[in-house]
Amino acid sequence: MRLGLIILFTSPALLLGELAHAERGEWSAGISSGLVLPALQAQDATSFRVAAFGASIQGRYGLLDDLDLGLTGSWAQFAGQADEVRSLGTEVLGVRVFEAQQFQVGATARYKMLSGYFVAPYVEAGAGFMWVILRNQDFRSIETGQSFGLDVQPEGFGRATATFGVSVDARILNWVFVGAAVRWTEVIGGRLYRRFVSIPVELSVYW
């Protein structure tokens, strides 16, 4: 009786562990969505920082059992503001208000810290390129919030990025993964914001 109970409760765990172990030579494709938190002031006076929605796609290849390489593409949209100095006859410190769309592509490496279990934690690092489009811009007084009436045209700019993070996922039936991550991205030479944090929930299919 006791032996039967041990087999009943340990066999699924052992099976899932074996299923979750081997990843060398595997390919995966996935989607994710969640919070994006740029280091910006919010336009809404009741909010301290900008919190936005983002989405991404990714593909990965298992180089080793504990190491995979991947390509990612992501998108986010948000409204924010940033202090800025402009020359209006004399230099004036004001607030630049804008709506932004952010597109990012990159290459990543992920190292599995614990192998052979149903749930696996990872550390990640990556490098990429980000393109930002700014629309509906205005330049306002810091003291009064009134517009200076400037015609601030839409613009776009690109920057290199470096990303570091941690993630965790759970393997289901040997071919589907669900997980979550926290990633910190530095924007190299960022103009309006120099970093952002993303907190996505992810779904991937392996083969």
Side-chain angles (χ1 to χ4, degrees):
M1 178 68 176
R2 181 177 298 178
L3 179 60
L5 289 174
I6 292 173
I7 294 173
L8 175 65
F9 286 103
T10 60
S11 293
L14 292 173
L15 176 60
L16 289 171
E18 288 302 313
L19 292 177
H21 177 68
E23 293 187 5
R24 183 195 300 259
E26 282 189 339
W27 293 88
S28 73
I31 57 174
S32 64
S33 64
L35 284 177
V36 177
L37 308 171
L40 280 170
Q41 306 167 33
Q43 293 184 18
D44 186 349
T46 62
S47 301
F48 177 65
R49 290 291 184 184
V50 173
F53 171 81
S56 67
I57 58 174
Q58 60 267 342
R60 295 191 178 101
Y61 174 73
L63 187 64
L64 302 172
D65 287 345
D66 298 328
L67 177 67
D68 61 48
L69 305 179
L71 297 175
T72 65
S74 65
W75 164 89
Q77 181 170 325
F78 50 85
Q81 62 183 36
D83 295 346
E84 185 175 73
V85 175
R86 287 196 173 224
S87 179
L88 304 177
T90 183
E91 287 195 342
V92 175
L93 175 61
V95 176
R96 184 177 185 174
V97 177
F98 55 87
E99 294 178 0
Q101 283 188 313
Q102 171 183 297
F103 304 89
Q104 184 184 14
V105 294
T108 63
R110 235 180 25 154
Y111 179 74
K112 185 186 295 184
M113 295 185 291
L114 188 63
S115 297
Y117 295 94
F118 173 61
V119 176
Y122 299 84
V123 291
E124 308 178 9
F129 183 82
M130 182 179 76
W131 183 260
V132 179
I133 300 173
L134 303 178
R135 297 187 176 93
N136 299 325
Q137 300 188 83
D138 196 11
F139 188 62
R140 301 176 183 175
S141 166
I142 288 181
E143 291 80 12
T144 66
Q146 296 296 313
S147 173
F148 285 104
L150 302 180
D151 183 18
V152 186
Q153 294 295 313
E155 62 176 297
F157 60 89
R159 291 292 184 272
T161 59
T163 300
F164 308 91
V166 294
S167 61
V168 62
D169 63 23
R171 191 164 189 162
I172 302 173
L173 300 178
N174 203 36
W175 61 281
V176 177
F177 273 70
V178 293
V182 177
R183 299 186 178 100
W184 178 287
T185 299
E186 287 288 325
V187 182
I188 311 301
R191 290 175 51 189
L192 298 176
Y193 56 101
R194 297 184 179 276
R195 63 193 55 88
F196 62 90
V197 175
S198 54
I199 309 174
V201 175
E202 303 177 334
L203 175 67
S204 300
V205 177
Y206 279 65
W207 64 92

mmCIF file with all atom_site columns, all heavy atoms in Angstrom, residues 119-138:
data_model
loop_
_atom_site.group_PDB
_atom_site.id
_atom_site.type_symbol
_atom_site.label_atom_id
_atom_site.label_alt_id
_atom_site.label_comp_id
_atom_site.label_asym_id
_atom_site.label_entity_id
_atom_site.label_seq_id
_atom_site.pdbx_PDB_ins_code
_atom_site.Cartn_x
_atom_site.Cartn_y
_atom_site.Cartn_z
_atom_site.occupancy
_atom_site.B_iso_or_equiv
_atom_site.pdbx_formal_charge
_atom_site.auth_seq_id
_atom_site.auth_comp_id
_atom_site.auth_asym_id
_atom_site.auth_atom_id
_atom_site.pdbx_PDB_model_num
ATOM 1   N N   . VAL A 1 119 ? 9.201  23.437 -12.938 1.00 0.00 ? 119 VAL A N   1
ATOM 2   C CA  . VAL A 1 119 ? 9.358  24.892 -12.981 1.00 0.00 ? 119 VAL A CA  1
ATOM 3   C C   . VAL A 1 119 ? 10.845 25.217 -13.059 1.00 0.00 ? 119 VAL A C   1
ATOM 4   O O   . VAL A 1 119 ? 11.640 24.656 -12.312 1.00 0.00 ? 119 VAL A O   1
ATOM 5   C CB  . VAL A 1 119 ? 8.720  25.557 -11.744 1.00 0.00 ? 119 VAL A CB  1
ATOM 6   C CG1 . VAL A 1 119 ? 8.981  27.059 -11.743 1.00 0.00 ? 119 VAL A CG1 1
ATOM 7   C CG2 . VAL A 1 119 ? 7.223  25.272 -11.702 1.00 0.00 ? 119 VAL A CG2 1
ATOM 8   N N   . ALA A 1 120 ? 11.222 26.134 -13.960 1.00 0.00 ? 120 ALA A N   1
ATOM 9   C CA  . ALA A 1 120 ? 12.630 26.455 -14.160 1.00 0.00 ? 120 ALA A CA  1
ATOM 10  C C   . ALA A 1 120 ? 12.858 27.967 -14.075 1.00 0.00 ? 120 ALA A C   1
ATOM 11  O O   . ALA A 1 120 ? 12.165 28.734 -14.759 1.00 0.00 ? 120 ALA A O   1
ATOM 12  C CB  . ALA A 1 120 ? 13.108 25.950 -15.518 1.00 0.00 ? 120 ALA A CB  1
ATOM 13  N N   . PRO A 1 121 ? 13.820 28.412 -13.248 1.00 0.00 ? 121 PRO A N   1
ATOM 14  C CA  . PRO A 1 121 ? 14.190 29.834 -13.199 1.00 0.00 ? 121 PRO A CA  1
ATOM 15  C C   . PRO A 1 121 ? 15.360 30.129 -14.148 1.00 0.00 ? 121 PRO A C   1
ATOM 16  O O   . PRO A 1 121 ? 16.217 29.266 -14.377 1.00 0.00 ? 121 PRO A O   1
ATOM 17  C CB  . PRO A 1 121 ? 14.608 30.018 -11.739 1.00 0.00 ? 121 PRO A CB  1
ATOM 18  C CG  . PRO A 1 121 ? 15.166 28.685 -11.350 1.00 0.00 ? 121 PRO A CG  1
ATOM 19  C CD  . PRO A 1 121 ? 14.429 27.639 -12.148 1.00 0.00 ? 121 PRO A CD  1
ATOM 20  N N   . TYR A 1 122 ? 15.398 31.338 -14.693 1.00 0.00 ? 122 TYR A N   1
ATOM 21  C CA  . TYR A 1 122 ? 16.439 31.742 -15.636 1.00 0.00 ? 122 TYR A CA  1
ATOM 22  C C   . TYR A 1 122 ? 17.005 33.111 -15.266 1.00 0.00 ? 122 TYR A C   1
ATOM 23  O O   . TYR A 1 122 ? 16.322 33.931 -14.643 1.00 0.00 ? 122 TYR A O   1
ATOM 24  C CB  . TYR A 1 122 ? 15.865 31.868 -17.057 1.00 0.00 ? 122 TYR A CB  1
ATOM 25  C CG  . TYR A 1 122 ? 15.293 30.620 -17.658 1.00 0.00 ? 122 TYR A CG  1
ATOM 26  C CD1 . TYR A 1 122 ? 13.982 30.238 -17.376 1.00 0.00 ? 122 TYR A CD1 1
ATOM 27  C CD2 . TYR A 1 122 ? 16.036 29.833 -18.531 1.00 0.00 ? 122 TYR A CD2 1
ATOM 28  C CE1 . TYR A 1 122 ? 13.427 29.100 -17.943 1.00 0.00 ? 122 TYR A CE1 1
ATOM 29  C CE2 . TYR A 1 122 ? 15.490 28.697 -19.104 1.00 0.00 ? 122 TYR A CE2 1
ATOM 30  C CZ  . TYR A 1 122 ? 14.188 28.332 -18.805 1.00 0.00 ? 122 TYR A CZ  1
ATOM 31  O OH  . TYR A 1 122 ? 13.642 27.205 -19.374 1.00 0.00 ? 122 TYR A OH  1
ATOM 32  N N   . VAL A 1 123 ? 18.238 33.363 -15.708 1.00 0.00 ? 123 VAL A N   1
ATOM 33  C CA  . VAL A 1 123 ? 18.780 34.719 -15.777 1.00 0.00 ? 123 VAL A CA  1
ATOM 34  C C   . VAL A 1 123 ? 18.980 35.027 -17.261 1.00 0.00 ? 123 VAL A C   1
ATOM 35  O O   . VAL A 1 123 ? 19.283 34.126 -18.059 1.00 0.00 ? 123 VAL A O   1
ATOM 36  C CB  . VAL A 1 123 ? 20.101 34.867 -14.997 1.00 0.00 ? 123 VAL A CB  1
ATOM 37  C CG1 . VAL A 1 123 ? 19.851 34.750 -13.509 1.00 0.00 ? 123 VAL A CG1 1
ATOM 38  C CG2 . VAL A 1 123 ? 21.133 33.823 -15.444 1.00 0.00 ? 123 VAL A CG2 1
ATOM 39  N N   . GLU A 1 124 ? 18.800 36.292 -17.629 1.00 0.00 ? 124 GLU A N   1
ATOM 40  C CA  . GLU A 1 124 ? 18.813 36.671 -19.035 1.00 0.00 ? 124 GLU A CA  1
ATOM 41  C C   . GLU A 1 124 ? 19.675 37.906 -19.262 1.00 0.00 ? 124 GLU A C   1
ATOM 42  O O   . GLU A 1 124 ? 19.845 38.735 -18.371 1.00 0.00 ? 124 GLU A O   1
ATOM 43  C CB  . GLU A 1 124 ? 17.388 37.005 -19.513 1.00 0.00 ? 124 GLU A CB  1
ATOM 44  C CG  . GLU A 1 124 ? 16.352 35.955 -19.238 1.00 0.00 ? 124 GLU A CG  1
ATOM 45  C CD  . GLU A 1 124 ? 14.973 36.406 -19.715 1.00 0.00 ? 124 GLU A CD  1
ATOM 46  O OE1 . GLU A 1 124 ? 14.880 37.449 -20.401 1.00 0.00 ? 124 GLU A OE1 1
ATOM 47  O OE2 . GLU A 1 124 ? 13.995 35.729 -19.393 1.00 0.00 ? 124 GLU A OE2 1
ATOM 48  N N   . ALA A 1 125 ? 20.182 38.025 -20.478 1.00 0.00 ? 125 ALA A N   1
ATOM 49  C CA  . ALA A 1 125 ? 20.875 39.234 -20.915 1.00 0.00 ? 125 ALA A CA  1
ATOM 50  C C   . ALA A 1 125 ? 20.661 39.373 -22.416 1.00 0.00 ? 125 ALA A C   1
ATOM 51  O O   . ALA A 1 125 ? 20.508 38.370 -23.132 1.00 0.00 ? 125 ALA A O   1
ATOM 52  C CB  . ALA A 1 125 ? 22.367 39.170 -20.594 1.00 0.00 ? 125 ALA A CB  1
ATOM 53  N N   . GLY A 1 126 ? 20.631 40.610 -22.896 1.00 0.00 ? 126 GLY A N   1
ATOM 54  C CA  . GLY A 1 126 ? 20.418 40.818 -24.316 1.00 0.00 ? 126 GLY A CA  1
ATOM 55  C C   . GLY A 1 126 ? 20.838 42.200 -24.763 1.00 0.00 ? 126 GLY A C   1
ATOM 56  O O   . GLY A 1 126 ? 21.092 43.091 -23.945 1.00 0.00 ? 126 GLY A O   1
ATOM 57  N N   . ALA A 1 127 ? 20.914 42.382 -26.061 1.00 0.00 ? 127 ALA A N   1
ATOM 58  C CA  . ALA A 1 127 ? 21.234 43.666 -26.667 1.00 0.00 ? 127 ALA A CA  1
ATOM 59  C C   . ALA A 1 127 ? 20.317 43.863 -27.856 1.00 0.00 ? 127 ALA A C   1
ATOM 60  O O   . ALA A 1 127 ? 19.903 42.886 -28.509 1.00 0.00 ? 127 ALA A O   1
ATOM 61  C CB  . ALA A 1 127 ? 22.702 43.722 -27.097 1.00 0.00 ? 127 ALA A CB  1
ATOM 62  N N   . GLY A 1 128 ? 19.983 45.122 -28.151 1.00 0.00 ? 128 GLY A N   1
ATOM 63  C CA  . GLY A 1 128 ? 19.064 45.356 -29.249 1.00 0.00 ? 128 GLY A CA  1
ATOM 64  C C   . GLY A 1 128 ? 19.061 46.796 -29.711 1.00 0.00 ? 128 GLY A C   1
ATOM 65  O O   . GLY A 1 128 ? 19.963 47.584 -29.408 1.00 0.00 ? 128 GLY A O   1
ATOM 66  N N   . PHE A 1 129 ? 18.001 47.125 -30.444 1.00 0.00 ? 129 PHE A N   1
ATOM 67  C CA  . PHE A 1 129 ? 17.823 48.469 -30.987 1.00 0.00 ? 129 PHE A CA  1
ATOM 68  C C   . PHE A 1 129 ? 16.372 48.871 -30.789 1.00 0.00 ? 129 PHE A C   1
ATOM 69  O O   . PHE A 1 129 ? 15.460 48.075 -31.018 1.00 0.00 ? 129 PHE A O   1
ATOM 70  C CB  . PHE A 1 129 ? 18.189 48.509 -32.471 1.00 0.00 ? 129 PHE A CB  1
ATOM 71  C CG  . PHE A 1 129 ? 18.096 49.877 -33.081 1.00 0.00 ? 129 PHE A CG  1
ATOM 72  C CD1 . PHE A 1 129 ? 19.136 50.788 -32.928 1.00 0.00 ? 129 PHE A CD1 1
ATOM 73  C CD2 . PHE A 1 129 ? 16.979 50.265 -33.798 1.00 0.00 ? 129 PHE A CD2 1
ATOM 74  C CE1 . PHE A 1 129 ? 19.065 52.055 -33.485 1.00 0.00 ? 129 PHE A CE1 1
ATOM 75  C CE2 . PHE A 1 129 ? 16.890 51.528 -34.359 1.00 0.00 ? 129 PHE A CE2 1
ATOM 76  C CZ  . PHE A 1 129 ? 17.943 52.428 -34.202 1.00 0.00 ? 129 PHE A CZ  1
ATOM 77  N N   . MET A 1 130 ? 16.161 50.111 -30.368 1.00 0.00 ? 130 MET A N   1
ATOM 78  C CA  . MET A 1 130 ? 14.819 50.621 -30.097 1.00 0.00 ? 130 MET A CA  1
ATOM 79  C C   . MET A 1 130 ? 14.547 51.851 -30.955 1.00 0.00 ? 130 MET A C   1
ATOM 80  O O   . MET A 1 130 ? 15.418 52.722 -31.097 1.00 0.00 ? 130 MET A O   1
ATOM 81  C CB  . MET A 1 130 ? 14.701 50.989 -28.614 1.00 0.00 ? 130 MET A CB  1
ATOM 82  C CG  . MET A 1 130 ? 13.324 51.480 -28.199 1.00 0.00 ? 130 MET A CG  1
ATOM 83  S SD  . MET A 1 130 ? 13.274 51.853 -26.429 1.00 0.00 ? 130 MET A SD  1
ATOM 84  C CE  . MET A 1 130 ? 14.160 53.412 -26.396 1.00 0.00 ? 130 MET A CE  1
ATOM 85  N N   . TRP A 1 131 ? 13.352 51.901 -31.543 1.00 0.00 ? 131 TRP A N   1
ATOM 86  C CA  . TRP A 1 131 ? 12.913 53.066 -32.306 1.00 0.00 ? 131 TRP A CA  1
ATOM 87  C C   . TRP A 1 131 ? 11.692 53.652 -31.615 1.00 0.00 ? 131 TRP A C   1
ATOM 88  O O   . TRP A 1 131 ? 10.742 52.929 -31.302 1.00 0.00 ? 131 TRP A O   1
ATOM 89  C CB  . TRP A 1 131 ? 12.582 52.685 -33.744 1.00 0.00 ? 131 TRP A CB  1
ATOM 90  C CG  . TRP A 1 131 ? 12.185 53.861 -34.601 1.00 0.00 ? 131 TRP A CG  1
ATOM 91  C CD1 . TRP A 1 131 ? 10.916 54.232 -34.945 1.00 0.00 ? 131 TRP A CD1 1
ATOM 92  C CD2 . TRP A 1 131 ? 13.060 54.827 -35.180 1.00 0.00 ? 131 TRP A CD2 1
ATOM 93  N NE1 . TRP A 1 131 ? 10.947 55.364 -35.719 1.00 0.00 ? 131 TRP A NE1 1
ATOM 94  C CE2 . TRP A 1 131 ? 12.245 55.755 -35.870 1.00 0.00 ? 131 TRP A CE2 1
ATOM 95  C CE3 . TRP A 1 131 ? 14.441 54.998 -35.181 1.00 0.00 ? 131 TRP A CE3 1
ATOM 96  C CZ2 . TRP A 1 131 ? 12.788 56.843 -36.567 1.00 0.00 ? 131 TRP A CZ2 1
ATOM 97  C CZ3 . TRP A 1 131 ? 14.975 56.078 -35.872 1.00 0.00 ? 131 TRP A CZ3 1
ATOM 98  C CH2 . TRP A 1 131 ? 14.156 56.983 -36.558 1.00 0.00 ? 131 TRP A CH2 1
ATOM 99  N N   . VAL A 1 132 ? 11.720 54.964 -31.357 1.00 0.00 ? 132 VAL A N   1
ATOM 100 C CA  . VAL A 1 132 ? 10.639 55.647 -30.648 1.00 0.00 ? 132 VAL A CA  1
ATOM 101 C C   . VAL A 1 132 ? 10.049 56.721 -31.555 1.00 0.00 ? 132 VAL A C   1
ATOM 102 O O   . VAL A 1 132 ? 10.791 57.517 -32.154 1.00 0.00 ? 132 VAL A O   1
ATOM 103 C CB  . VAL A 1 132 ? 11.139 56.284 -29.335 1.00 0.00 ? 132 VAL A CB  1
ATOM 104 C CG1 . VAL A 1 132 ? 9.996  57.013 -28.630 1.00 0.00 ? 132 VAL A CG1 1
ATOM 105 C CG2 . VAL A 1 132 ? 11.726 55.226 -28.416 1.00 0.00 ? 132 VAL A CG2 1
ATOM 106 N N   . ILE A 1 133 ? 8.727  56.759 -31.662 1.00 0.00 ? 133 ILE A N   1
ATOM 107 C CA  . ILE A 1 133 ? 8.011  57.783 -32.416 1.00 0.00 ? 133 ILE A CA  1
ATOM 108 C C   . ILE A 1 133 ? 7.236  58.638 -31.417 1.00 0.00 ? 133 ILE A C   1
ATOM 109 O O   . ILE A 1 133 ? 6.453  58.112 -30.606 1.00 0.00 ? 133 ILE A O   1
ATOM 110 C CB  . ILE A 1 133 ? 7.046  57.160 -33.443 1.00 0.00 ? 133 ILE A CB  1
ATOM 111 C CG1 . ILE A 1 133 ? 7.827  56.303 -34.438 1.00 0.00 ? 133 ILE A CG1 1
ATOM 112 C CG2 . ILE A 1 133 ? 6.265  58.246 -34.176 1.00 0.00 ? 133 ILE A CG2 1
ATOM 113 C CD1 . ILE A 1 133 ? 6.943  55.516 -35.387 1.00 0.00 ? 133 ILE A CD1 1
ATOM 114 N N   . LEU A 1 134 ? 7.447  59.962 -31.470 1.00 0.00 ? 134 LEU A N   1
ATOM 115 C CA  . LEU A 1 134 ? 6.776  60.903 -30.568 1.00 0.00 ? 134 LEU A CA  1
ATOM 116 C C   . LEU A 1 134 ? 5.726  61.690 -31.340 1.00 0.00 ? 134 LEU A C   1
ATOM 117 O O   . LEU A 1 134 ? 6.017  62.258 -32.405 1.00 0.00 ? 134 LEU A O   1
ATOM 118 C CB  . LEU A 1 134 ? 7.791  61.868 -29.955 1.00 0.00 ? 134 LEU A CB  1
ATOM 119 C CG  . LEU A 1 134 ? 8.949  61.238 -29.175 1.00 0.00 ? 134 LEU A CG  1
ATOM 120 C CD1 . LEU A 1 134 ? 9.904  62.318 -28.678 1.00 0.00 ? 134 LEU A CD1 1
ATOM 121 C CD2 . LEU A 1 134 ? 8.425  60.416 -28.001 1.00 0.00 ? 134 LEU A CD2 1
ATOM 122 N N   . ARG A 1 135 ? 4.512  61.750 -30.807 1.00 0.00 ? 135 ARG A N   1
ATOM 123 C CA  . ARG A 1 135 ? 3.415  62.473 -31.430 1.00 0.00 ? 135 ARG A CA  1
ATOM 124 C C   . ARG A 1 135 ? 2.701  63.326 -30.380 1.00 0.00 ? 135 ARG A C   1
ATOM 125 O O   . ARG A 1 135 ? 2.903  63.156 -29.185 1.00 0.00 ? 135 ARG A O   1
ATOM 126 C CB  . ARG A 1 135 ? 2.413  61.506 -32.071 1.00 0.00 ? 135 ARG A CB  1
ATOM 127 C CG  . ARG A 1 135 ? 2.964  60.659 -33.212 1.00 0.00 ? 135 ARG A CG  1
ATOM 128 C CD  . ARG A 1 135 ? 1.844  59.882 -33.882 1.00 0.00 ? 135 ARG A CD  1
ATOM 129 N NE  . ARG A 1 135 ? 2.304  59.131 -35.044 1.00 0.00 ? 135 ARG A NE  1
ATOM 130 C CZ  . ARG A 1 135 ? 2.705  57.876 -35.014 1.00 0.00 ? 135 ARG A CZ  1
ATOM 131 N NH1 . ARG A 1 135 ? 2.698  57.215 -33.851 1.00 0.00 ? 135 ARG A NH1 1
ATOM 132 N NH2 . ARG A 1 135 ? 3.103  57.263 -36.105 1.00 0.00 ? 135 ARG A NH2 1
ATOM 133 N N   . ASN A 1 136 ? 1.839  64.238 -30.873 1.00 0.00 ? 136 ASN A N   1
ATOM 134 C CA  . ASN A 1 136 ? 1.008  65.086 -30.002 1.00 0.00 ? 136 ASN A CA  1
ATOM 135 C C   . ASN A 1 136 ? 1.863  65.747 -28.915 1.00 0.00 ? 136 ASN A C   1
ATOM 136 O O   . ASN A 1 136 ? 1.542  65.689 -27.727 1.00 0.00 ? 136 ASN A O   1
ATOM 137 C CB  . ASN A 1 136 ? -0.121 64.269 -29.376 1.00 0.00 ? 136 ASN A CB  1
ATOM 138 C CG  . ASN A 1 136 ? -1.051 63.682 -30.415 1.00 0.00 ? 136 ASN A CG  1
ATOM 139 O OD1 . ASN A 1 136 ? -1.309 64.300 -31.451 1.00 0.00 ? 136 ASN A OD1 1
ATOM 140 N ND2 . ASN A 1 136 ? -1.545 62.479 -30.166 1.00 0.00 ? 136 ASN A ND2 1
ATOM 141 N N   . GLN A 1 137 ? 2.941  66.393 -29.357 1.00 0.00 ? 137 GLN A N   1
ATOM 142 C CA  . GLN A 1 137 ? 3.874  66.996 -28.417 1.00 0.00 ? 137 GLN A CA  1
ATOM 143 C C   . GLN A 1 137 ? 3.493  68.442 -28.086 1.00 0.00 ? 137 GLN A C   1
ATOM 144 O O   . GLN A 1 137 ? 2.879  69.146 -28.885 1.00 0.00 ? 137 GLN A O   1
ATOM 145 C CB  . GLN A 1 137 ? 5.290  66.967 -28.995 1.00 0.00 ? 137 GLN A CB  1
ATOM 146 C CG  . GLN A 1 137 ? 5.799  65.571 -29.282 1.00 0.00 ? 137 GLN A CG  1
ATOM 147 C CD  . GLN A 1 137 ? 7.263  65.597 -29.651 1.00 0.00 ? 137 GLN A CD  1
ATOM 148 O OE1 . GLN A 1 137 ? 8.124  65.617 -28.783 1.00 0.00 ? 137 GLN A OE1 1
ATOM 149 N NE2 . GLN A 1 137 ? 7.547  65.612 -30.945 1.00 0.00 ? 137 GLN A NE2 1
ATOM 150 N N   . ASP A 1 138 ? 3.922  68.869 -26.909 1.00 0.00 ? 138 ASP A N   1
ATOM 151 C CA  . ASP A 1 138 ? 3.722  70.248 -26.471 1.00 0.00 ? 138 ASP A CA  1
ATOM 152 C C   . ASP A 1 138 ? 4.837  70.595 -25.494 1.00 0.00 ? 138 ASP A C   1
ATOM 153 O O   . ASP A 1 138 ? 5.400  69.705 -24.833 1.00 0.00 ? 138 ASP A O   1
ATOM 154 C CB  . ASP A 1 138 ? 2.346  70.409 -25.809 1.00 0.00 ? 138 ASP A CB  1
ATOM 155 C CG  . ASP A 1 138 ? 1.929  71.874 -25.697 1.00 0.00 ? 138 ASP A CG  1
ATOM 156 O OD1 . ASP A 1 138 ? 2.604  72.736 -26.309 1.00 0.00 ? 138 ASP A OD1 1
ATOM 157 O OD2 . ASP A 1 138 ? 0.938  72.150 -24.999 1.00 0.00 ? 138 ASP A OD2 1
#
